Amino acid sequence: KEQFNLDKPILINTRYTLGQAEVEQTLTDIINAKGDVEPSRQIQAQEDIENWGIYAVPGLMGVLRTTSDAQLQAYASQRLALNSRRPLKNLYSSRSTPTEREADKQITAENNRIKEWKFAADASQDVRRDIVTKWENWFAENQERWDYTGAKKLAITLTDTRFFKYWTNLLRLDFGVSHVDKRPVLGKVFSKLKYSISLSFSAVILIYLVSVPLGIWSAVRQNSVADRIVTVVLFMLYSLPSFFVGVVLLNFFTRGDPFTVFPTSGFESLDVSNMTTVEYVMDVLWHIVLPIICLSYAGLAALSRYARTGLLDVIRSDYIRTARAKGLPESIVIIKHAARNGMIPILTLLATLLPTLIGGSVVVEFIFGIPGMGLYVLESIFVRDYNAIMAVLLLSSSLTLVGMLLSDLSYALVDPRITFD
């Protein structure tokens, strides 16, 4: 918890005000010698004393020196051996400097020394006296660590918090390390990104290539039999959950019942190292056809309806009637004048489509065994890998901003009335 700053307060840290009375009461609640402390309070007290870290050391020293309760004094020595330990400067980074490595050696040596300074409740007076003397000498040597000046208190209040530490790391593009394998999260996310980006952007391109012409065609043939059939089919597609469609596609096209056309899972074949670039691209396309279909069909159905509705509103406009009255061909009226202005709602949806595809790829990547960001964040949730989850969520937020920017820029391409001058 210390290494990942999970023991710190979220926004404001006032733990330098901890006194002996509060620390002693917390230790008493943990020991629960009288048996009258609720289990929930015991758990909370245990978590408090762990999270307080070095801020509880002066209070623990006071309990160790003054208490006459043998059990309480013994537990205070045990907590001192834990709370007094200093975190290493650079535990997981492979790019640590010689100065950091030397500092870590000294910190490790000190931590190993003080972790033995503890005793049990039934220890002899000589053992107790010897351990207490060691702690008093150590505390006197390190007293300046708890001499809080006004400036130091202000710095602790604002900077020794979970929020400040996290954003300080983000400004250095340091997303931390995985709680599972202690590897840098950013490298792991980038290694997964190529899979999700390949699926998501391919799905976006497919959605727009199909939905826009289909929406225009459906609007031009409004209320015809063909339009009604297409509308029913699209609403049926939109209502189908992706996990159901994924399983159906797997059973129909990968297991030989009735066809064996595509591979069952994976992003690429095992022997890609022996392939040429063209062969590799074809192999990847062969693997991701079904996942892209699974990602695209719902968005295709929705966007085609938006395109149809937007175009219907434009077709009824006065300038469209004027263009027809001037004798322009119907294709020019629809494609050049109506379609461009009717695409504004479709382009607006681009802002939410990119992060939605990243989030929706969780199910698709799980079904098709693709090691992308969706599957990665799902596995991270199962093992509570907080840094990995936050990194993926931040990336999804960034994609939302990118989508909004692309939407704004694309307005000028379709609507001549909009400029960025």
Side-chain angles (χ1 to χ4, degrees):
K1 293 173 71 174
E2 289 175 357
Q3 292 294 339
F4 297 109
N5 298 311
L6 297 177
D7 61 326
K8 301 184 183 301
I10 297 176
L11 290 176
I12 297 177
N13 188 352
T14 59
R15 289 175 179 173
Y16 50 80
T17 61
L18 278 173
Q20 179 180 340
E22 187 174 357
V23 173
E24 185 171 352
Q25 182 60 52
T26 301
L27 298 181
T28 303
D29 292 341
I30 296 173
I31 296 171
N32 192 19
K34 298 180 181 180
D36 57 350
V37 180
E38 294 290 335
S40 59
R41 171 55 193 160
Q42 280 187 279
I43 296 173
Q44 183 62 50
Q46 182 69 41
E47 187 174 351
D48 287 343
I49 199 65
E50 290 175 357
N51 291 343
W52 287 341
I54 62 170
Y55 297 106
V57 169
L60 290 170
M61 283 298 306
V63 175
L64 189 69
R65 290 167 172 166
T66 61
T67 186
S68 58
D69 188 325
Q71 190 175 6
L72 186 61
Q73 188 185 40
Y75 191 64
S77 72
Q78 296 166 17
R79 285 308 320 176
L80 269 171
L82 295 173
N83 286 53
S84 299
R85 292 186 300 179
R86 289 189 293 165
L88 300 181
K89 297 289 185 181
N90 208 334
L91 179 59
Y92 300 116
S93 176
S94 59
R95 297 176 295 178
S96 57
T97 64
T99 303
E100 289 174 336
R101 288 195 293 269
E102 183 61 31
D104 284 344
K105 288 181 181 179
Q106 297 177 3
I107 293 173
T108 301
E110 179 183 337
N111 290 344
N112 289 335
R113 184 174 75 254
I114 65 177
K115 73 178 182 180
E116 304 297 334
W117 299 350
K118 56 187 176 182
F119 52 83
D122 57 353
S124 64
Q125 287 296 327
D126 291 338
V127 172
R128 291 172 179 269
R129 192 178 304 110
D130 179 60
I131 297 297
V132 171
T133 301
K134 288 181 178 179
W135 277 118
E136 288 180 339
N137 294 335
W138 175 88
F139 188 69
E141 294 174 0
N142 297 273
Q143 180 66 48
E144 69 278 359
R145 292 168 59 184
W146 293 276
D147 290 337
Y148 301 116
T149 62
K152 194 172 183 180
K153 289 180 180 179
L154 179 62
I156 291 173
T157 301
L158 300 178
T159 65
D160 195 23
T161 62
R162 201 180 308 179
F163 182 82
F164 183 86
K165 296 289 185 183
Y166 186 75
W167 276 99
T168 302
N169 291 336
L170 287 187
L171 292 177
R172 303 197 309 265
L173 294 181
D174 180 8
F175 289 84
V177 299
S178 170
H179 297 186
V180 178
D181 56 12
K182 304 304 183 286
R183 290 169 53 197
V185 166
L186 189 60
K188 295 183 69 175
V189 169
F190 279 146
S191 68
K192 309 290 184 183
L193 192 59
K194 68 174 184 179
Y195 305 109
S196 296
I197 291 297
S198 299
L199 290 177
S200 298
F201 277 91
S202 299
V204 168
I205 293 172
L206 179 62
I207 287 172
Y208 275 88
L209 285 178
V210 177
S211 63
V212 173
L214 186 61
I216 295 174
W217 177 87
S218 184
V220 172
R221 290 165 174 78
Q222 182 187 11
N223 295 326
S224 65
V225 175
D227 177 45
R228 295 173 187 271
I229 294 175
V230 169
T231 300
V232 171
V233 171
L234 290 177
F235 272 110
M236 290 177 62
L237 286 176
Y238 187 74
S239 66
L240 295 176
S242 58
F243 65 86
F244 171 77
V245 174
V247 173
V248 170
L249 292 176
L250 281 176
N251 283 316
F252 268 78
F253 297 105
T254 69
R255 300 180 59 184
D257 186 20
F259 308 107
T260 305
V261 181
F262 302 103
T264 304
S265 62
F267 184 80
E268 58 193 18
S269 300
L270 297 177
D271 57 344
V272 293
S273 58
N274 300 322
M275 296 181 182
T276 63
T277 301
V278 175
E279 290 174 339
Y280 177 72
V281 172
M282 296 303 297
D283 180 75
V284 171
L285 291 175
W286 181 50
H287 279 78
I288 65 175
V289 167
L290 296 184
I292 288 177
I293 293 174
C294 204
L295 275 174
S296 304
Y297 72 89
L300 186 153
L303 260 68
S304 64
R305 296 298 89 190
Y306 280 111
R308 178 181 183 272
T309 303
L311 192 61
L312 286 175
D313 291 337
V314 172
I315 286 176
R316 300 187 183 99
S317 301
D318 292 338
Y319 73 91
I320 296 297
R321 285 194 292 269
T322 302
R324 285 172 174 161
K326 290 169 61 178
L328 292 178
E330 185 67 14
S331 58
I332 299 297
V333 173
I334 296 298
I335 296 175
K336 185 176 181 180
H337 296 281
R340 290 181 64 182
N341 294 329
M343 292 302 103
I344 298 296
I346 295 295
L347 295 175
T348 303
L349 293 173
L350 182 63
T352 59
L353 194 57
L354 287 177
T356 300
L357 287 174
I358 291 292
S361 66
V362 174
V363 175
V364 174
E365 290 178 6
F366 181 79
I367 292 175
F368 291 95
I370 296 176
M373 287 178 55
L375 186 59
Y376 178 53
V377 74
L378 180 64
E379 294 172 346
S380 300
I381 291 172
F382 287 152
V383 297
R384 298 186 179 183
D385 195 351
Y386 305 112
N387 284 340
I389 297 170
M390 288 298 296
V392 175
L393 291 178
L394 281 171
L395 183 59
S396 297
S397 302
S398 301
L399 287 176
T400 302
L401 298 178
V402 170
M404 294 173 67
L405 178 61
L406 292 177
S407 296
D408 291 340
L409 294 176
S410 60
Y411 289 159
L413 298 177
V414 299
D415 192 342
R417 297 169 297 177
I418 299 176
T419 64
F420 299 108
D421 295 335

